[in-house]
Amino acid sequence: MKKPILAFASFICLFSINTFSQANKTKPPQKNRPNVIYIYADDLGYGDLSCYGATKLHTPNLDKLAASGIRFTNGHCTSATCTPSRYALMTGQYPWRKQGTGILPGDAALIIPTDHTTLPKVFKKAGYQTAIVGKWHLGLGDAVAKNWNGEVKPGPNEVGFDYSFIFPATADRVPTVFLENHKVIALEANDSIAVSYTHKVGNDPTGKEHPELLKLKSSPGQGHDGTIVNGIGRIGFMSGGKLARWVDEEVSSTFLAKAEGFIEQNQQHPFFLYFAMTEPHVPRMPATRFKGTSGLGLRGDVILQLDWTVGEVMKELKSLGIEKNTIIIFTSDNGPVLDDGYEDEAVAKLNGHTPAGPMRGGKYSALEGGTRIPFLISWPGKVKPGVSNALVSQIDLIASFSNFFKQPIPAGDAFDSENMIDAFMGRSNTGRSVYVEQGGALAIVKDGWKLITPNNGPALNKGVNIETGNSPEPQLYNLTEDIGEKENLAAKYPEKVKEMTELLLSIKEKK
């Protein structure tokens, strides 16, 4: 690698470099097809970047990316939590259509169908090398019970990725290990891994039993009191795999090393890289160089680490001379959350920062703060820089790139995905006219109007102090004039409520 990285990251990069396709080295450049890097932040809010108005944080690399391409002000994920948003990204299908697409435990079975069109398969069909580096959280194997000490599959490779380097779920869930393709990295034969989300396994201390061992204290009642790894309590229990367990401060640089390795190995012909970062999801434990640098606590620090990492990817492309033939898409899996399981001063040191920008809600919420997130697309020399208010979504990448490559999607696959390639490429300011958002309740947006359907759940998620958007009565907002969803117009426009309710029902019945 051209850049110095931490020792562990160097080790695993050298350990697995031969897993990349050696055939790629002999293929000539194919400049007619751009490389595509999709960078996915985790729990990053609309207001967390300075290019979206943040004044308490400065994110120069992402600002540079925004200035070189299109900054969408109405870009969305489908859902206000991670697993369903990632499901929609991969499949082009609204996740609420399928049971079992909620937030998954770390031992869940694979929920992505292996026999249908997926985003990486679109690129593979067009002749691209494909890879995922980072967080997966879409399940592994055919069942919950799995042998972590052998080949763990099906997984990312079976849904279209030639190469995968992941952790299974989230950084706050066990097992806290990396998997390269089908195998756990650095696993010793005599130290088998066992995982459970129902009962304690092994003799490792837990956060509940030994809080004095924690270097990052868990928030009460949020489940982060399972097995302690690296001084941090996790959700769930694990034993074994002592050498294989990651060090939180090195996770980000490890993922960066693997992403850069894939880019270097495939620089001579088209590639698609899904770089699924972990920042600013909990537990927030940045590398030492970033600790204390933001003034906003550890959450601010990991956002600066995220920004730096994106800058390193951009530098890598430039050093290889392929930056002008590479599309970079940057966005987030859902809206922001502050106190999400650990006492890391994200609330105490907020200092006037507004993670959701001008919107109500955040992660877990049907309000706009739950699904309206940063959304940037850059392709130097091809995408004209600017700002777009077109309504666009991650779910539309499958249909859009299928159109870009002029390869039709088989009937019945990705049927919620729409071709937005003209909006993505800056050739049109027209996006979706109709869109469904998923928080605690379902919401439908049509031509700037938003209806949140009645839901009897609590109006406030007290555990994280976020408005859910739940109400026993319908809520109607004119987002064009009221992005903060302050004035419920349902009583004033009952016909609009009726129209949008019926429209949502027709979408739900679509097969």
Side-chain angles (χ1 to χ4, degrees):
M1 304 302 295
K2 293 181 173 62
K3 306 173 181 67
I5 57 175
L6 295 169
F8 181 67
S10 298
F11 165 73
I12 60 175
C13 187
L14 292 172
F15 180 83
S16 58
I17 195 73
N18 288 330
T19 62
F20 293 128
S21 172
Q22 296 301 307
N24 296 346
K25 297 179 179 179
T26 61
K27 291 186 178 182
Q30 300 181 45
K31 298 298 184 182
N32 56 317
R33 287 176 290 174
N35 309 310
V36 178
I37 300 178
Y38 185 83
I39 304 177
Y40 214 21
D42 197 348
D43 291 355
L44 187 75
Y46 185 94
D48 276 328
L49 305 181
S50 42
C51 56
Y52 279 90
T55 58
K56 303 296 182 178
L57 278 174
H58 181 45
T59 50
N61 295 297
L62 284 161
D63 291 358
K64 181 179 179 181
L65 185 68
S68 70
I70 302 175
R71 178 172 64 85
F72 290 94
T73 61
N74 201 6
H76 288 260
C77 51
T78 60
S79 313
T81 51
C82 47
T83 295
S85 285
R86 291 162 197 267
Y87 177 87
L89 171 70
M90 287 290 108
T91 66
Q93 180 178 315
Y94 284 126
W96 43 262
R97 294 192 187 278
K98 178 178 177 177
Q99 290 187 338
T101 58
I103 302 175
L104 295 180
D107 59 355
L110 179 69
I111 63 171
I112 303 295
T114 59
D115 58 347
H116 287 264
T117 301
T118 62
L119 183 60
K121 285 183 181 179
V122 168
F123 284 91
K124 277 182 67 67
K125 190 175 180 182
Y128 281 57
Q129 283 291 301
T130 60
I132 174 176
V133 174
K135 171 180 172 177
W136 177 235
H137 210 185
L138 289 165
L140 295 167
D142 291 318
V144 170
K146 57 181 66 72
N147 179 15
W148 292 100
N149 311 291
E151 287 197 324
V152 184
K153 61 182 183 180
N157 301 87
E158 285 67 40
V159 302
F161 290 107
D162 296 308
Y163 175 75
S164 69
F165 187 93
I166 62 169
F167 60 51
T170 58
D172 59 339
R173 285 172 169 80
V174 298
T176 53
V177 295
F178 297 117
L179 284 87
E180 186 166 42
N181 296 321
H182 298 122
K183 292 190 175 182
V184 174
I185 286 291
L187 180 62
E188 298 175 298
N190 62 350
D191 192 21
S192 298
I193 294 172
V195 174
S196 176
Y197 277 76
T198 60
H199 61 278
K200 183 179 178 181
V201 293
N203 298 314
D204 288 72
T206 66
K208 183 176 182 179
E209 298 167 337
H210 295 283
E212 74 280 2
L213 299 179
L214 298 173
K215 68 180 182 183
L216 186 62
K217 189 175 180 181
S218 302
S219 301
Q222 295 196 37
H224 294 85
D225 57 359
T227 300
I228 298 174
V229 179
N230 189 34
I232 300 171
R234 315 287 167 156
I235 298 174
F237 305 95
M238 73 174 291
S239 64
K242 297 292 186 181
L243 181 63
R245 300 183 188 189
W246 69 57
V247 175
D248 294 75
E249 291 88 339
E250 297 181 1
V251 167
S252 187
S253 60
T254 299
F255 285 153
L256 174 61
K258 301 308 296 186
E260 290 183 320
F262 176 80
I263 293 169
E264 291 175 3
Q265 289 289 318
N266 292 278
Q267 61 182 289
Q268 292 299 314
H269 85 99
F271 64 81
F272 169 64
L273 170 62
Y274 171 31
F275 188 14
M277 303 176 69
T278 185
E279 296 97 340
H281 195 285
V282 296
R284 298 155 185 148
M285 191 52 59
T288 302
R289 63 181 295 182
F290 295 104
K291 289 179 181 177
T293 57
S294 70
L296 302 184
L298 293 176
R299 184 176 186 274
D301 297 345
V302 296
I303 291 174
L304 296 187
Q305 178 171 273
L306 176 154
D307 179 74
W308 176 84
T309 303
V310 172
E312 292 302 291
V313 172
M314 294 164 68
K315 288 178 184 177
E316 179 76 1
L317 295 172
K318 187 172 183 179
S319 72
L320 296 173
I322 58 175
E323 77 278 11
K324 291 184 179 180
N325 193 46
T326 301
I327 299 171
I328 299 179
I329 305 171
F330 175 88
T331 185
S332 178
D333 63 346
N334 50 249
V337 60
L338 297 177
D339 180 3
D340 202 24
Y342 300 95
E343 297 182 2
D344 60 6
E345 299 185 305
V347 176
K349 292 187 176 181
L350 191 57
N351 193 29
H353 177 59
T354 53
M359 293 169 290
R360 291 168 60 195
K363 187 176 182 179
Y364 313 111
S365 174
L367 295 162
E368 281 297 279
T371 64
R372 191 183 298 218
I373 33 76
F375 206 122
L376 309 173
I377 297 182
S378 174
W379 186 8
K382 300 291 186 179
V383 171
K384 184 178 179 181
V387 178
S388 173
N389 62 3
L391 172 55
V392 295
S393 170
Q394 301 159 11
I395 200 173
D396 296 324
L397 290 175
I398 287 184
S400 300
F401 278 105
S402 293
N403 178 272
F404 184 79
F405 296 130
K406 304 201 181 321
Q407 296 182 355
I409 298 172
D413 284 1
F415 56 79
D416 292 313
S417 186
E418 297 183 8
N419 175 23
M420 292 287 114
I421 195 66
D422 285 342
F424 286 149
M425 296 294 102
R427 296 192 291 262
S428 171
N429 201 36
T430 300
R432 277 178 164 259
S433 62
V434 178
Y435 188 60
V436 180
E437 302 173 359
Q438 179 188 21
L442 285 184
I444 182 168
V445 176
K446 182 178 185 296
D447 298 329
W449 288 91
K450 177 177 177 179
L451 175 72
I452 303 178
T453 57
N455 189 300
N456 290 322
L460 180 71
N461 184 332
K462 293 182 180 179
V464 293
N465 195 33
I466 290 176
E467 291 182 275
T468 62
N470 291 331
S471 170
E473 301 297 327
Q475 299 169 74
L476 181 69
Y477 299 103
N478 183 345
L479 296 179
T480 305
E481 300 177 358
D482 181 21
I483 192 175
E485 295 168 289
K486 297 176 182 178
E487 185 180 4
N488 182 3
L489 300 173
K492 187 175 181 180
Y493 298 104
E495 289 303 313
K496 178 65 70 174
V497 172
K498 182 174 182 292
E499 171 198 339
M500 296 183 71
T501 300
E502 292 174 349
L503 178 59
L504 178 59
L505 180 61
S506 70
I507 294 172
K508 291 171 70 174
E509 291 176 345
K510 181 180 178 182
K511 298 287 187 179

